[in-house]
Structure formats: C-alpha cells, structure tokens
Amino acid sequence: MPPLELTSPAFEHGGPIPREYGYTERNVNPPLSVGGVPEGSESLALLVDDPDAREPAGKVWDHWVVWNVPPDIERISEDWDPAGVGASDGQNDFGEHGYGGPNPPDREHSYRFRLYATDRRLELDPNATKADVEDALAGRVLDSTTLEGTYAP
C-alpha cells in the first residue's frame, strides 16, 4: 500500500504558498489532495503550523487544527468547512476557530501541513488546541505525512 500523501494543486512541496491564502489576504485554506490512507483508518487529523515563528512569537504558531476528517476524503477544497463532513476544527493561535493563514511578521517562514491517519475518532472539546490533538494522537497514528510551503511578508 502506498504511504499517506498530502499534496496541493496550489503549491509544490517546499515552494511558495500563493499570497491569497495569507491571513491578511483572502485567508482561506489552499486546496489539498489526500492519498494513500492506510486500511483501518477511522479518521484523519490535520495540523498546520509555523515553526519559524519561535523567534518573533516565542513559540511555534498554530494556524489550523482539524480532527475527525473522514478517512475516505480525497480532496479538501479551498475555503473548506470541516463541519460539512463531520470533522471539527479547534482553536488556532489567532484565538479563532478554523484556518488562519500565513502571516509572518519578519521574513519568509516555512509552514507545515501535517496529516495523520488514526485508528479511531478523537474525542475532543470543540476548543481543543494543537497540543490537545497531539496528546489524543499518542499511540493512535497509523501513518503521517507533511506538506511544507513558504510564505513571505
């Protein structure tokens, strides 16, 4: 079986994320394609963060926290609403629910779109954070993958 895969028709792995997906622009998620979900997966979780924010923000900045995505999903459309498929999105570091686009204050940053296939649905509070999702994922991940992109101010 092929490994779990996350790609985007909007940008190449390691390439620039188009301006429109930035927080001060349209602030909608880029389209994503999912493949290679392992047999036995009960749900998917998607965590998007900015590890380069450590210096200006003092921490890895969390942009999107999504869990309980159906494992048969093949496409996450632009400006996607997780509730439409029974998934949940928690709190990002903008203090909001949903997608918060790239918004680097100082220089080009790298953004990680990390996808996890899990062996069960995650029972989490609607205000769950990335740390809550990561705790719930412990011992439950069947496969994972990362798509990275860059964004400059």
Side-chain angles (χ1 to χ4, degrees):
M1 179 165 217
L4 185 61
E5 183 178 62
L6 182 66
T7 59
S8 176
F11 65 97
E12 300 270 332
H13 178 73
I17 298 169
R19 302 284 320 154
E20 65 189 292
Y21 302 115
Y23 189 75
T24 60
E25 301 294 329
R26 287 184 55 222
N27 196 35
V28 297
N29 67 276
L32 301 168
S33 298
V34 176
V37 176
E39 194 170 312
S41 296
E42 291 294 319
S43 72
L44 303 174
L46 177 65
L47 304 176
V48 180
D49 63 17
D50 172 4
D52 293 333
R54 282 186 187 101
E55 189 174 313
K59 61 182 249 159
V60 173
W61 195 265
D62 301 331
H63 288 264
W64 203 15
V65 179
V66 185
W67 65 93
N68 292 338
V69 177
D72 61 352
I73 198 163
E74 295 178 352
R75 184 162 163 69
I76 293 173
S77 62
E78 180 180 277
D79 197 19
W80 182 63
D81 178 9
V85 296
S88 300
D89 55 1
Q91 187 122 0
N92 62 37
D93 281 334
F94 294 107
E96 303 164 350
H97 282 263
Y99 175 81
N103 192 27
D106 54 352
R107 60 182 169 77
E108 181 178 275
H109 285 207
S110 292
Y111 293 84
R112 301 182 296 196
F113 291 71
R114 294 181 294 159
L115 184 69
Y116 301 87
T118 67
D119 66 358
R120 69 176 171 126
R121 289 179 56 81
L122 305 180
E123 301 301 323
L124 294 166
D125 181 271
N127 291 314
T129 63
K130 181 180 80 174
D132 297 325
V133 173
E134 288 174 332
D135 287 346
L137 288 172
R140 298 292 178 185
V141 176
L142 300 175
D143 200 358
S144 65
T145 189
T146 302
L147 170 65
E148 292 187 10
T150 60
Y151 196 91

